[in-house]
Structure formats: C-alpha cells, structure tokens
Amino acid sequence: MATTVRLVSLLLMNLVIYMSSTAQCSITKHADPNPAEFVKLSCRATRYPVLCVHSLLAYAGVIHRSDRQLAMTALSVSISRTRKFLKKMSKARGMKGREWRAVQDCVETIGNSVERLKQSVRELGRTGLGKDFAWHMSNVQTWVSAALTDDNTCLDGFAGSAMNGNVKSDITERVVHVAQVTSNALALVNRFASTHATHSP
C-alpha cells in the first residue's frame, strides 16, 4: 500500500513538473519580441534584409512592435534617403551634353518618386481597422510601386557605353541604394497589409 502511494505521488510530481515546463516553453515561444528583435524579424520579409535592419534599427523604440508603424517608418526613411540624393544631385557640376540631360531627367523623375512616397505616408496614416482599409492600402502599394519604377527609370537614362564614367558610376550607386530602401519599404507595406488581412474576420 505504501509503495503504491509513493508511486502515485511520484507520478503526480512528474506530471506537475512536466506541465510547468511545458507552460514555460509555451510562454517563451509566444512571447512578443523586444522592439529591436521585432525589426530584425520583420526585415526578413524584405529583399535586402541587412540594409533594412541598418536603416530601421535606430527607430526600434518608435516602431515598438507595430507593423503599421514599421511600414510608416520605412517609408519615411525612404523619403529621407531620396531627398538626400536629390540634394547631392542639385550640387553636381561640370557636366555637358547627354550626361547633363540624363542627370536633369533623373532629378525630375526622382522628384516624382518623393511626391509618391509622401502620398503613401499620408494615405497610410488614414488606415484604420474599418472597411476602407483595403482601399487605402491599395493606394499606398500603388504609389510606392510607382516610386520604385521612377528610381529604375532614372537609371535607364544612363544606359549604354557612351555614358560610362565617374558620373554614371556615382549616380548609379546612389540610385540603387535609394531603390533598395524603397523596395524594402514596399515589402514592409505589403507585410502590414497581409497581417491585417490575416486578422480580419
């Protein structure tokens, strides 16, 4: 009898330990990541994750764990990087002929990109959890995609061997950077849209 009681007690003790361990693992597994980790995990959805983390990690405290704020911040960073490029281009000197025209066309095109990104930020700010969410997000996605197309259009103006040189190399490098940041922003916008869709009734 005593042996049976001890055996039952041992089984119950093991069961309690097992349940406690399982519960702890479950809590750890489903615990929300800290803001910095949230940014790093979210950036895996982008085409350029290293650049994404480098661009957004400093804003982790503002982003916290909000997919919406993450997308908003990514768009704002894209605007900032694009404006910085335009400022640099406005100071370019010593160009003539086709090279000068290509730069001017690029500045105009990238300027359009900035306006589309600003529209996207304003539209994203109008998104709530109501019935118009999908419509607002569709506008955001369209404008960010158009901004990315503008970046690529700028590069088209420098195509061909006749444009080879330091100006083409410098501009291409800077536009590619801007395009990659914008591409990441679009990926995070799409992520936010799909996350909302997942939680919609």
Side-chain angles (χ1 to χ4, degrees):
M1 180 69 177
T3 301
T4 301
V5 170
R6 284 197 298 273
L7 181 58
V8 171
S9 297
L10 182 60
L11 288 173
L12 287 173
M13 184 178 297
N14 287 335
L15 180 61
V16 169
I17 293 173
Y18 170 76
M19 292 178 67
S20 175
S21 176
T22 301
Q24 183 61 42
C25 288
S26 178
I27 290 172
T28 301
K29 181 178 179 181
H30 295 93
D32 288 335
N34 63 50
E37 191 63 25
F38 174 77
V39 170
K40 293 176 182 178
L41 290 172
S42 300
C43 280
R44 293 179 183 177
T46 68
R47 189 172 181 181
Y48 310 98
V50 174
L51 176 61
C52 176
V53 173
H54 185 266
S55 301
L56 299 177
L57 196 57
Y59 306 99
V62 176
I63 294 168
H64 199 50
R65 290 186 291 270
S66 166
D67 290 309
R68 182 174 180 273
Q69 189 60 49
L70 177 66
M72 186 79 77
T73 303
L75 288 172
S76 297
V77 168
S78 182
I79 292 171
S80 176
R81 299 290 175 90
T82 307
R83 281 176 168 168
K84 185 176 180 181
F85 166 75
L86 286 176
K87 185 176 181 180
K88 179 76 174 180
M89 293 295 297
S90 68
K91 296 179 180 179
R93 298 289 185 273
M95 294 173 290
K96 297 179 180 180
R98 182 181 174 187
E99 195 175 65
W100 183 85
R101 289 192 298 274
V103 169
Q104 296 306 307
D105 289 344
C106 181
V107 168
E108 182 179 352
T109 303
I110 298 299
N112 292 335
S113 176
V114 171
E115 291 306 311
R116 297 183 201 279
L117 290 170
K118 288 166 63 178
Q119 281 181 303
S120 301
V121 170
R122 288 192 293 268
E123 191 74 358
L124 188 58
R126 299 186 182 104
T127 58
L129 299 179
K131 61 182 180 180
D132 293 332
F133 177 87
W135 183 75
H136 288 303
M137 286 307 303
S138 177
N139 290 336
V140 174
Q141 290 167 316
T142 297
W143 289 327
V144 180
S145 295
L148 192 56
T149 299
D150 288 333
D151 296 338
N152 292 324
T153 299
C154 167
L155 292 176
D156 291 341
F158 295 90
S161 58
M163 294 292 288
N164 287 341
N166 293 333
V167 172
K168 176 181 177 179
S169 177
D170 184 53
I171 290 177
T172 298
E173 180 180 349
R174 293 175 184 277
V175 174
V176 166
H177 173 76
V178 167
Q180 289 177 347
V181 172
T182 302
S183 172
N184 284 346
L186 178 58
L188 295 175
V189 164
N190 291 339
R191 182 178 181 276
F192 172 51
S194 63
T195 299
H196 179 274
T198 300
H199 291 91
S200 296

